Amino acid sequence: MQFAPLYPILYPILKRTFPNCLWSGSPQRKAIALTFDDGPHPKYTPQLLQVLDRYNITASFFWLGACVKAAPTVAREVYQQGHWIGLHGYHHRSFPLLKPDALKESLEKTQDAICQACQFEPKHIRDVRPPNGLFTPQTLKLLHQWQYRPVMWSVVPEDWVSPGVEVVVRRVIQQVRNGSLIVLHDGYHGGEDVAQTTNRLIPQLLQQGYKFVTIEELSTF
């Protein structure tokens, strides 16, 4: 069963209930953020980078530490091309299932893997997106305590179940608004279509007058 039709209903409810997460940008500006979860992938992410480079678009990537370890060269290429980097945990495990020590270790290990792969000095990567979009008030309390910023979404076309490029593109176009935070996937689930999907989406959204920004830029509007 696909839950894509429910996300536009859930989003405004969750945004009101948990205002300390970043759900979207300003509704007064035609700025949107294109984000990608579950990578980097040795095949799908380089294909995606070619598309982003073709249109001169800067995106945001939320990485799994294990995938960074498996594809450090790809991670470094993403970073060197100027894309924004966030954390998605070391493995794709829902944060509420982890004890606080295990959650903290997962985030720190992912950050260390990114620093090693991208060859920059260790620093605090602030943005975190919980796998599956699942969290509890306690999860958010811990993330804020550790000085992380929870980053969520406003457009989720459910590409990880591979409904087809046309379906994903249509869902995004129908849901996108000023300030939208769009989630796609360049990992092992959904990533096989990500380059083609993105190549179809970007020109349509540009034609509608949207400007693509990173998570950091979106949060300042």
Side-chain angles (χ1 to χ4, degrees):
M1 179 179 179
Q2 295 186 24
F3 296 95
L6 298 178
Y7 291 118
I9 300 171
L10 288 174
Y11 155 67
I13 298 172
L14 291 170
K15 184 178 180 181
R16 289 194 300 270
T17 307
F18 302 101
N20 291 328
C21 303
L22 179 63
W23 295 92
S24 60
S26 170
Q28 276 73 51
R29 295 175 179 265
K30 289 188 75 70
I32 58 177
L34 194 55
T35 72
F36 300 93
D37 288 2
D38 297 357
H41 187 279
K43 178 180 178 181
Y44 306 146
T45 304
Q47 293 173 346
L48 172 61
L49 287 178
Q50 291 180 3
V51 175
L52 296 173
D53 183 62
R54 184 180 309 139
Y55 292 102
N56 195 28
I57 298 297
T58 304
S60 302
F61 289 80
F62 289 85
W63 281 341
L64 296 170
C67 290
V68 174
K69 279 288 188 181
T73 303
V74 177
R76 185 158 57 250
E77 185 179 0
V78 173
Y79 173 72
Q80 289 176 343
Q81 290 191 18
H83 299 288
W84 189 256
I85 308 300
L87 309 176
H88 203 43
Y90 196 81
H91 297 290
H92 201 273
R93 293 190 61 193
S94 296
F95 287 174
L97 299 179
L98 301 175
K99 293 181 178 180
D101 288 348
L103 174 56
K104 188 175 184 180
E105 180 184 13
S106 173
L107 296 173
E108 290 177 347
K109 281 182 63 179
T110 303
Q111 182 165 282
D112 289 344
I114 293 171
C115 289
Q116 292 177 22
C118 299
Q119 298 181 349
F120 60 69
E121 291 297 319
K123 62 181 181 180
H124 187 69
I125 299 174
R126 183 184 177 203
D127 292 327
V128 176
R129 175 174 285 148
N132 303 312
L134 297 178
F135 61 89
T136 63
Q138 175 65 11
T139 305
L140 299 182
K141 181 179 178 181
L142 290 171
L143 292 178
H144 287 299
Q145 178 182 320
W146 299 329
Q147 298 183 324
Y148 292 111
R149 175 173 60 181
V151 177
M152 301 304 177
W153 36 258
S154 62
V155 178
V156 187
E158 209 173 18
D159 60 321
W160 64 87
V161 298
S162 301
V165 172
E166 295 295 335
V167 173
V168 174
V169 170
R170 183 177 70 250
R171 288 172 177 172
V172 174
I173 296 300
Q174 289 174 343
Q175 296 178 31
V176 72
R177 302 287 186 275
N178 288 1
S180 283
L181 206 165
I182 303 167
V183 178
L184 296 173
H185 294 75
D186 63 327
Y188 287 91
H189 299 284
E192 65 272 10
D193 292 333
V194 71
Q196 187 178 355
T197 299
T198 305
N199 192 47
R200 293 286 303 280
L201 270 175
I202 289 176
Q204 293 188 50
L205 293 170
L206 288 173
Q207 189 174 23
Q208 293 183 26
Y210 288 108
K211 175 185 178 182
F212 290 87
V213 298
T214 64
I215 288 295
E216 184 64 13
E217 292 168 321
L218 189 77
S219 67
T220 63
F221 288 155

